Amino acid sequence: MRHGSNQLSDTLSSTFERELKVNIYNGTERVLEGERFESWQLDADLGAKVCTSGSGVLVHESVMGESLSPVGTKGLLSPFRARIEPVLTVRDGDFEESISLGMFRATGVPATSDTLVEFQGEEVVSASRVGIRFESLDEDTRRWGFRSPEQSPAGASAFGEIRRLTGMPVEQTVPDVPMPTIKVWEARKGSRLDAVLELGRILGGSAVVNSRGAWIIVPDAVGDPVATLRLGELGTVLDVADEIDTEEVYNEVVGAFEDANGNPIRAVAEVTSGDLAVTGNYGRNTQYYSSDLVKTQEQAQTAVQALLDISTGSQVYDVQIQCHVNPLVEIGDVVKLEGWKRPLIGRLRRVSMSDSAYMNVTIRVHRELS
């Protein structure tokens, strides 16, 4: 969750004005500040490899007749060098507060145009309009490949390996765990990012880059809500709470693994009592699992039991919501919806913001089964 004042949280529950501008960085130097940004879109998806992407048009009013249209690697807005920070300002009367939506890597400039005017007999640029596409900083990790297969250090922990692989800040949001075995990361396109995502699963969640530019693990377990979304008069909820789907409710998990010497390890976990018992009316619904990080019988049994507990603990379904913009929330946050016919709490899987007063979100809700 992004940080904001208590007064901002109160303001977001009422009517307010908003404005988005952007800062541009080349390396660590801020080269442009508070530039107008139009026709913008910011889409985040917890299930995507690169979790956030966006686009918009930067509008720059020239001071000395300069053009901001980049040419190849040259120019402050060249995607070969630019980083972009969208900043959303909320206003209500005398109150004003700005929230950084994060730092992003510019990945493309689809179109540019300069407005020319005549000044002292010469044509000069009065304004530049530059379209920009951008991605969250996990794109840096995706592009950075291994030169050859690379082995994790002996005794490494999962968070330590994420730090080593990415060279980026890491916020430890769940307990660290030792690597269960030395792991070899393959040299192929995107394998460094794939390695980080696998480490997230070892830590019991999903690895993403947050708005502060740090890797975090969004845990699988849903905790208490950290924010409230407001539905409002024009808000909509596409609620599938009445839908029941048994396809992914497994009551038996079968695991197949190998120890350090290549000998097979087998492990099974099953439900033996209640409505989901394998001997009951539901019958058996089997899930299979394997991982080269499991090397002992104890690890194997723990792994299949954990998967069984997740499957039988609840059924998940996604609720699509259009609600008032809240710049404090980001994917992975557990939120509560206000203004709906019944309480609704779940984890934000998708967030789509634009220059609209409303944003579209997808909340993954759990229905208890046992």
Side-chain angles (χ1 to χ4, degrees):
M1 184 173 176
R2 301 179 180 97
H3 298 308
S5 67
N6 291 334
Q7 188 173 353
L8 175 61
S9 297
D10 293 339
T11 300
L12 293 174
S13 64
S14 61
T15 303
F16 58 89
E17 298 177 354
R18 75 215 170 279
E19 180 183 30
L20 186 116
K21 293 188 175 181
V22 295
N23 301 323
I24 301 296
Y25 290 78
N26 288 177
T28 59
E29 180 185 1
R30 185 166 59 188
V31 294
L32 292 170
E33 182 178 4
E35 296 288 325
R36 222 166 81 211
F37 208 51
E38 298 179 348
S39 304
W40 64 276
Q41 181 85 18
L42 188 65
D43 300 308
D45 185 344
L46 188 59
K49 282 192 173 183
V50 176
C51 59
T52 307
S53 62
S55 63
V57 178
L58 185 147
V59 181
H60 174 75
E61 295 183 4
S62 175
V63 178
M64 302 294 293
E66 74 278 3
S67 169
L68 282 191
S69 298
V71 179
T73 61
K74 307 301 182 184
L76 301 180
L77 297 180
S78 169
F80 290 92
R81 66 174 66 194
R83 302 286 166 128
I84 180 170
E85 180 190 24
V87 178
L88 187 69
T89 299
V90 172
R91 298 188 182 93
D92 182 20
D94 294 334
F95 172 78
E96 177 177 305
E97 187 167 339
S98 297
I99 300 296
S100 171
L101 300 184
M103 188 71 75
F104 301 87
R105 174 185 182 132
T107 56
V109 173
T112 68
S113 65
D114 290 331
T115 300
L116 302 177
V117 297
E118 188 172 322
F119 179 73
Q120 295 181 351
E122 295 184 3
E123 283 193 331
V124 297
V125 176
S126 64
S128 296
R129 296 177 60 87
V130 181
I132 303 175
R133 292 194 304 265
F134 52 91
E135 308 274 355
S136 49
L137 297 184
D138 35 0
E139 173 68 3
D140 290 352
T141 302
R142 188 192 70 82
R143 293 187 177 206
W144 181 17
F146 294 114
R147 293 186 176 184
S148 59
E150 193 168 304
Q151 184 172 286
S152 61
S157 72
F159 271 118
E161 188 68 343
I162 291 175
R163 290 186 182 93
R164 186 186 74 86
L165 291 174
T166 66
M168 293 170 60
V170 173
E171 295 179 10
Q172 190 169 318
T173 51
V174 298
D176 201 359
V177 298
M179 294 282 287
T181 183
I182 292 176
K183 172 71 176 179
V184 177
W185 309 114
E186 298 297 330
R188 52 179 171 75
K189 184 68 174 177
S191 59
R192 190 179 295 268
L193 178 58
D194 289 341
V196 174
L197 298 180
E198 184 173 345
L199 289 164
R201 290 188 288 272
I202 293 172
L203 286 161
S206 303
V208 298
V209 174
N210 66 13
S211 59
R212 294 176 291 281
W215 282 99
I216 64 168
I217 305 301
V218 176
D220 292 330
V222 176
D224 295 329
V226 297
T228 299
L229 301 180
R230 187 168 61 92
L231 193 59
E233 271 183 37
L234 302 178
T236 60
V237 176
L238 180 60
D239 190 358
V240 292
D242 295 329
E243 176 185 341
I244 299 176
D245 185 359
T246 64
E247 174 62 28
E248 294 186 1
V249 180
Y250 302 101
N251 58 1
E252 178 181 63
V253 179
V254 176
F257 315 94
E258 291 184 353
D259 66 16
N261 297 318
N263 300 312
I265 299 174
R266 297 286 184 268
V268 176
E270 63 181 11
V271 179
T272 58
S273 61
D275 292 335
L276 299 181
V278 293
T279 55
N281 293 333
Y282 182 53
R284 292 181 185 267
N285 192 8
T286 306
Q287 182 183 27
Y288 295 91
Y289 178 66
S290 64
S291 170
D292 57 4
L293 296 174
V294 172
K295 295 298 180 183
T296 69
Q297 186 66 50
E298 181 181 5
Q299 291 171 352
Q301 198 60 47
T302 298
V304 295
Q305 186 62 50
L307 281 178
L308 182 67
D309 291 344
I310 292 173
S311 176
T312 59
S314 63
Q315 182 185 44
V316 297
Y317 60 97
D318 289 343
V319 181
Q320 299 174 35
I321 299 168
Q322 185 181 63
C323 59
H324 283 283
V325 166
N326 185 329
L328 297 179
V329 299
E330 49 189 321
I331 52 170
D333 288 343
V334 177
V335 298
K336 177 173 66 173
L337 179 66
E338 184 180 85
W340 182 229
K341 62 185 181 182
R342 62 183 180 83
L344 196 61
I345 295 176
R347 188 177 302 285
L348 279 179
R349 297 289 303 180
R350 299 183 186 89
V351 178
S352 182
M353 300 173 64
S354 67
D355 43 16
S356 166
Y358 283 77
M359 65 181 187
N360 294 308
V361 303
T362 299
I363 298 179
R364 180 154 295 179
V365 179
H366 289 248
R367 177 194 288 117
E368 298 302 319
L369 296 178
S370 62

